[in-house]
Amino acid sequence: GEVVKDGPGTVTLTSEKTTADFFVTEGSLQVNGAAGTVTVAVGAAIGGQGKVTRIVFQDGAILDAAAGALTAGSIAAATPTLLDKSLPDGATLPATATVTVRNAKEGLVLSCASIPEGLTFVTESGTLEVKDGGLHYVPAPGYRLSLR
């Protein structure tokens, strides 16, 4: 079944055996254990150090990088009108989404096998967009890209 995280505030998952799907409509879901598919609505957030089967970002969702590295089996972008929770895992959605990344001063780690075209991450240091088969970074004024 699906669990709806509604209302302000933060809910933290710590169980490594959670397989439930979550729909975050408000506030933040911190996954420090495991979860199934997590759909993150406009203005809602996901973060943590755990593992998620799939993250579906609606346009305007937030990725909170403060807690550390979050691992996702797959990532999808969806606008509210295209969101169809009956799609099988791994299906791609013909949509784009802009995701705001907050608390990324120490860096951002999001492990995933693939990230769909049309997904854009916006941080205080710039914009990272998935397009044309690659990642495109546009630094914000006063920032530069440093590869290690």
Side-chain angles (χ1 to χ4, degrees):
E2 181 181 71
V3 177
V4 176
K5 191 311 188 180
D6 197 12
T10 300
V11 171
T12 302
L13 297 177
T14 57
S15 173
E16 295 291 329
K17 298 181 183 196
T18 305
T19 58
D21 296 335
F22 290 83
F23 185 49
V24 186
T25 63
E26 283 185 277
S28 178
L29 179 67
Q30 295 293 309
V31 182
N32 292 334
T37 296
V38 178
T39 301
V40 187
V42 176
I46 186 172
Q49 302 174 16
K51 295 180 182 177
V52 177
T53 301
R54 184 177 193 214
I55 301 173
V56 179
F57 288 110
Q58 288 186 1
D59 190 34
I62 299 168
L63 175 61
D64 189 344
L70 184 63
T71 301
S74 65
I75 295 175
T79 58
T81 56
L82 290 175
L83 187 60
D84 179 358
K85 294 185 181 67
S86 66
L87 288 172
D89 281 348
T92 57
L93 298 173
T96 61
T98 298
V99 177
T100 300
V101 179
R102 66 180 182 202
N103 301 318
K105 293 184 189 225
E106 300 300 317
L108 168 64
V109 179
L110 178 62
S111 301
C112 183
S114 66
I115 299 175
E117 289 272 331
L119 192 58
T120 301
F121 293 95
V122 178
T123 71
E124 63 185 28
S125 63
T127 301
L128 185 63
E129 183 178 4
V130 182
K131 69 178 185 179
D132 301 327
L135 294 172
H136 298 266
Y137 177 73
V138 178
Y143 288 87
R144 63 190 169 115
L145 179 61
S146 176
L147 301 175
R148 298 179 192 175

